[in-house]
Every structure is written in C-alpha cells, then in structure tokens.
Amino acid sequence: MSYPSRSYAQDHQLSRTDPERFWGEAAAAITWIHKPALVLDDPADADGGSTGNAAPFARWFPDGTLNTCFNALDRHVVAGRGEQTALIYDSPVTGTRREYSYTELTELTAKFAGVLRALGVDTGDRVLIYLPMVPEAVIAMLGCARIGAVHSVVFGGFAANELAARIDDARPKVIVSASCGIEPTRLVVAYKPLLDRALELAEHQPESCVILQRPQLQASMTDRDLDWQDLMRAGLIAPAECVELKATDPLYILYTSGTTGRPKGIVRDNGGHAVALRWSMANIYDVGPGEVMLTASDVGWVVGHSYIVYAPLLTGATTVLYEGKPVGTPDAGAFWRLVADHQVKVLFTSPTALRAVKRDDPDGELIAGYDLSSLRTLFLAGERLDPATYEWASTHLGIPVVDHWWQTETGWPIAANLRGLEPMPIKPGSPTVPVPGYDVRILGPDGRPLPAGQEGAICLKLPLPPGTSQGVWGDDRRYVESYLSAFPGYYLTGDGGYLDDDGYLFVLGRTDDVMNVAGHRLSSGQLEAALAGHPAVAECAVIGVEDPLKGQVPRALVVTRAGWTGSAEQLATELAARVREQVGPIASLSRVDVVAGLPKTRSGKILRATMRQLADGGDPAVPSTIEDVAVLDRLRPVLHPSEQNPA
Ligand code: COA
Ligand code: AMP
C-alpha cells in the first residue's frame, strides 16, 4: 500500500480540515478484521461524538477491529516474507548477536502468548514487563498484544519504589522480569532483588512472575516465580492465536513523570496507534519494508515502544535491538559499527548519546573507520538538540541530522522534518514543522494565539491525531486536569516555544516541573518525595539545571528541621543515596545545598522555574506574587556562584 502522493502543505491542511478522510486513507495500510466505517469519534462534536463518546479525548476507528501483533508479525509471514529478518539483537555487553526472522519471531511470540494464557492472563488483564534490552522484552510485549493483554513496561533503571508504584497502579496479573541487566559501569545489575523488594512494598500482588534467567546471573526463585525457558520449552504449552480487539481497546500503559511524584499511566489504543505509527515510518522516517532501523533507546521509554518495537515491525522493516551504550561498549564507534554491520538506513538516538560520542571522539576519527554508505538519516529526540551537537554530527556524517519533537503522551512525533513525505531545509535549533495531524498553536497566558516569533505555551488544538494518549490509566479526571484544563479546546504539551515566519517550530524547554536527564524524563515531585522522607529535611526543592553531557541534571536545595546540627556534607551524601535507592541510579543528584529558606509565592508554591533560570545563569523576572524577595536574593549566590549577594 502506498500513501496518496501530496505535498506536506496539502497533507497538513487536509489532516486539519478533513481528518476523517486523511486518517481513513492512512488506515488502509493496516490489516483490519472488521474495517472501520467510522474514523473519528470526537467528543467535541455537537452530539458528543458519533457514538456518544463520553471520554475526554477523541477515539479513532471506534467500530474497527484488529490485532496489533498480527499486523506486526503474522501479516508479513502471510505475505510471504517470513524469512526476512524482523529483529537483530546486538549485545556487545554479553558478546551476543542473533537474528530473528519474521517466522521465528511470530512463533516465539505465539508461544509466549500461550504461556500468558496458561497463567490465566485474559484480554484486558495487565502484564508488567521489567526487562533489560533483550529479545524477550519484544516477545513479551507482542505476546500481550496477541491476546489483548495490556502491557506496562518499566524501565530497568528505576528503583524498587518506582516499580512498586507502577505495580499498584497497573495491578498486573503477571510480571515478566529477568535475573539481571548488564550495565557497563556496574557490570551485572541484579533485577530480581529489585522486583522482590518492589513486591514487598506494593499492596497489589501478581499471581505469578516469569523470570528470564540470564547466563550472567542466576536469580533465586520463590514459589510464585516461573522460569521463562521452562515455560517456553517446546510442546508443553500451545501457542496462542491473535484475538480480535476493538481499535479502541488498550494496547499498553506507559508510565511517565508528571509534575507530581505520582507517575502517570499513559494509555495507548490498538487501532489509532497502528495507523499512526505505520504512517510515520513512511512519511517521517522514510523507512519501508525490508529496510533497517536502529533506535538506540530502551524498550522502557516511549521511543523504544514506538521505534524499536511497534513501528518497524508494523512496517515489515528490520529493527535492531541494541544492548549497549553509545560509548564504552567498547568505544564511541559503537553506533557506526552497528550501522556498518547491519546496513542501517535510519539511526535514531538522543542528543545526550551523541554528546557522549562527541566527547570521546571529538574529531570523528572512529566514524571514518566504518562504511556508513547505508545510512541516510540521523534522527534525534528526547531533549533539545543543541547547535554544537547538530553541527558536529552533520559535519562528520554528511547526512541530514533531523531533530524531532514529541513526548510519551503523543507516542509519535508532533514536529519533524518529514523525510518521506517532503524533506525540508533544516534550521538548526528547530525540529522543523508540525506533522500532519497535529495543529500546533502557541498560546499566551490568557489563552490567545500568539503571532509568529512570540514565545508561549505550545499547545495542540483538539482533537489529537490517532496514536496519541487515550487518557491516564484509570483516571480520566487526572488526564483532563493535567492536559486539557489550562486552555479549553487545547492539549497542553508542557513545553514552551514559538513558531517562526516560515512555520518552523522552536521548542525552548518545559514550562512545568519536569526535567530531562540524559533523555530520561523525571519530575521534581518524584525526587522531592525521596528527599522529604529523610528525618533532617523540613522542606526541599529539586530543579533540573543545565549540564554539558546530560542536558540537565537534578540539583537539590534543602531546608533542615529546626535544631538539626548534623554535617551538610554527610546530609548531601545521604540524600543522594536516597534518590538512587528510591528513584533509581538514572536520577543521581548532581549537588545538594542546605539553605535557610525556599522562595515561594504567597500561596505557597515553590518558585522552581525562577531558581532553575538563576542556576543556569539567566536573569528571570521575579514573579510579582513572591512572598519574600529576600529569600530569593539570599539564594542567588548559591544557585549561581558568580552572582553577588545583594545583602
Ligand atoms: N538498568 C539498570 N541501571 C541503569 C539502566 C538500566 N536500564 N540504565 C542506566 N542505569 C544506571 C547506570 O548504570 C548508571 O549507574 P551508575 O551511576 O552506578 O554508574 C546510572 O543509571 C546513570 O546512567 P546513565 O544516565 O546512562 O549515565 P551514564 O553516565 O552511565 O552514561 C551516557 C552516560 C550519555 C552514555 C548515557 O546517559 C546514555 O547513553 N544516554 C542516552 C540515553 C538515551 O538514549 N535516552 C533516550 C531515551 S529516548
Ligand atoms: P518523554 O515523554 O520522556 O519523551 O519526554 C518528552 C519531553 O522531552 C518533551 O515534552 C520535551 O520537553 C522533551 N523533548 C523531547 N524531544 C525534544 C526535542 N526534539 N526538542 C526539545 N525537547 C524535546
């Protein structure tokens, strides 16, 4: 199937004026069990949507039925491409390389789906997946999709507390995990004790845990634990067929950091997700069947869900699952080695990863050692792409380096340079233009649209396109409060920025208390909750401050309880350890300062954004609502040591 041949401007216009036609056409790229007659069910329509949609979001293809796993696997086998490689597992940290054809991946997935069924997992039940970057993670995700179970993958770098919070929210019937992950800095990271600890902390208990025993470490098993290999042994359990699901049935829940300490379970549907991701591969990434995509992220993040697992497989492409780092496994040539070895057409990674490569190989000498003739485009996302990193990559690779902007909630890019549809000139610092389906508006504080060049809140006019969030798991009210309340009729992205005269978008960073550490999204509230439990802490604030490698790193300001007489240095060490233990090693505090007070508004809101801008060397306007300006003035030299203390 090929998409209608139109220009970017025509597609973007059509997606806004006639979304039913635009996405109805795109739906033809997916194999449906029951073809949808209805494309869009928008609650904003006069009658509450064509089916009386009571949800606070648009539902796509509401009368269609399909199976996502069928579209990602079986369909390609049926079409005669079963021998083509679906997945390449490349793991320098274990010295393993293995290719899975579509036939083989389908068989393994059907078998694991059968295992889940035998464990009592039914359509709609949740399965939590806490696995490192191993093929079993993909098999487990697709196995869930096959039987209509809702997977929730948790990133391995999160600690037991975070895992427990997700277990209690998703209430999984089964948890799938492994004995260990492999991290170059810490070698073997035992996962099973983290899972056991999380289950001690959680109220909800799964019926069983399936544990993948890796050769690097044997986990000790309890009565509830079952060995992946034992369960998968041929002949014991019948493989499961794909079940028929409504397009609007949930495919997965993926937790992300909101502005509070409580993670938000972003829900994705089956039909809209399949249609949108398939469209994005052809029109944004320009990857077709049989071509190879390497997305160097982790299956625990949305980038991994969409562009390691679902989109390449829905396309019939080959995806590379890389268990390694951009540097140190063994060196900064790792990505280039992967491109050359696997004939990668598109590489997608984060600016942080590229900065690490640039740091270790500033002159790009390692690049010259590999044949990169297959590589057409480098895509970057997850955080702002700084101009120096952009220049370095474009100069040394000599191919388009494409920044694109999106978030867990949208599941696929909001703004991009559409390399398949109509490549556009690149403006460094901009992720180019709004993708068809997204009506990007810049709004001022009063909700009025701002003219080109003026900075404001980046919002998306409703309805959002297919593939975007179908609410917060079990909490539609929270979805409305977080995203739809600030400006009625718009989705609030949480990012600030502007559109220029050519319609290019510039994203300037979060306007809320979310930070981005090495491409990992964390919230102030999440880290502050870990600090607040320390007996010496009366009050605290965590802000994300600029860092040359990781983009941002978390920094804490702490007010101690009256009468506390301990050492600030010791307290800093203890607090840093708490954050690692309770949130995870990816959230290591860069610095802790004990201060006399925190600046607040008169209603008690801590002025984190003002402190963050001061720490980054900026000169923010002091909010008129500040309770006591002297508190802020005393903090200036602490936040940014070159500042003079006005007192
Ligand atoms: N499981 C267990 N631990 C993990 C982990 C995982 N999946 N991922 C990271 N960690 C641990 C690391 O081992 C490290 O532990 P340490 O502090 O004891 O050494 C800690 O978390 C911090 O890891 P990381 O943020 O990866 O920093 P680093 O200094 O080890 O590596 C980079 C620096 C730049 C190489 C690394 O941050 C990186 O690859 N970043 C790109 C990430 C990315 O692509 N994100 C985009 C997602 S879309
Ligand atoms: P996540 O949900 O983890 O994917 O994080 C989404 C957030 O990361 C966005 O809201 C942005 O703040 C940031 N982000 C992602 N991609 C970009 C980009 N290309 N440019 C600037 N910020 C980005």
Side-chain angles (χ1 to χ4, degrees), residues 256 301-303 380-385 403-409 431 493-495 507 509-510 516 519-521:
T256 190
W301 303 115
V302 70
V303 171
L380 297 166
E383 60 189 300
R384 184 178 157 266
L385 172 59
D403 181 14
H404 61 325
W405 169 66
W406 50 298
Q407 44 187 217
T408 305
E409 290 84 342
T493 66
D495 282 295
V507 181
R510 298 289 302 197
N516 205 308
H520 309 317
R521 179 164 155 185

Side-chain angles (χ1 to χ4, degrees), residues 18-63:
D18 193 353
E20 278 95 344
R21 179 173 152 208
F22 184 81
W23 291 112
E25 284 172 0
I30 293 302
T31 301
W32 298 88
I33 299 171
H34 175 82
K35 251 201 177 98
L38 277 172
V39 173
L40 169 62
D41 186 13
D42 187 352
D45 287 348
D47 61 354
S50 36
T51 62
N53 181 8
F57 42 80
R59 297 187 315 157
W60 291 89
F61 314 109
D63 64 343

Side-chain angles (χ1 to χ4, degrees), residues 351-352 354-355 358 380 385-394 401:
T352 293
L354 216 57
R355 283 194 294 269
K358 175 173 159 236
L380 297 166
L385 172 59
D386 56 288
T389 306
Y390 167 79
E391 291 298 343
W392 182 86
S394 339
V401 174

Side-chain angles (χ1 to χ4, degrees), residues 557-580:
L557 297 131
V558 171
V559 180
T560 52
R561 288 194 190 282
W564 177 80
T565 53
S567 117
E569 209 175 311
Q570 177 62 22
L571 180 60
T573 309
E574 286 172 20
L575 292 177
R578 276 183 83 85
V579 168
R580 275 182 77 91

